[in-house]
Amino acid sequence: MAESKRISREEQAELPLFKRHEEARDFFEEKYGEKFVFEESFDTGDGICFFYRLITNEEAYIKGAADLNSNGSVGMEFMKSYQPIRIMEDGSVHIVH
């Protein structure tokens, strides 16, 4: 399985301005399909923050997730297999580089 490209700072700067979480989520789902996965959400006090992962190395991600489920730990390969994306309720996006 080939690795997918991570979103660069330049690409992030070119993202549309979203007004709501749903607009941003729909944009990423349409662009990345099944490689864009929901992780969790919680209220930060400034609104709900939605955490997603853009899977960039599917093989390492699947293996790491299996390792996590079986022995409770993950290696660096798993940590490098996805790019965290946070979307706030107001549509603001933060991509970890």
Side-chain angles (χ1 to χ4, degrees):
M1 284 177 223
E3 286 192 34
S4 301
K5 195 166 72 79
R6 295 170 76 84
I7 299 170
S8 69
R9 292 181 192 279
E10 293 78 17
E11 289 171 306
Q12 182 178 356
E14 294 173 7
L15 289 174
L17 293 176
F18 304 108
K19 291 182 170 65
R20 312 182 341 267
H21 158 254
E22 293 81 5
E23 285 180 15
R25 179 202 60 213
D26 291 351
F27 173 87
F28 286 105
E29 283 180 346
E30 186 173 314
K31 184 164 181 150
Y32 298 104
E34 293 180 354
K35 294 193 180 303
F36 182 70
V37 296
F38 176 73
E39 185 178 348
E40 64 181 335
S41 65
F42 68 88
D43 193 334
T44 64
D46 292 327
I48 298 172
C49 182
F50 299 85
F51 292 84
Y52 292 90
R53 293 176 176 171
L54 176 61
I55 300 170
T56 56
N57 183 333
E58 194 172 351
E59 192 174 315
Y61 185 83
I62 291 169
K63 181 185 179 312
D67 289 347
L68 180 61
N69 287 335
S70 65
N71 62 28
S73 65
V74 294
M76 282 308 294
E77 286 297 311
F78 176 72
M79 299 303 292
K80 293 179 180 180
S81 71
Y82 64 90
Q83 184 173 26
I85 299 175
R86 295 191 300 250
I87 305 174
M88 291 299 293
E89 216 171 4
D90 67 4
S92 58
V93 175
H94 176 74
I95 299 172
V96 177
H97 296 281

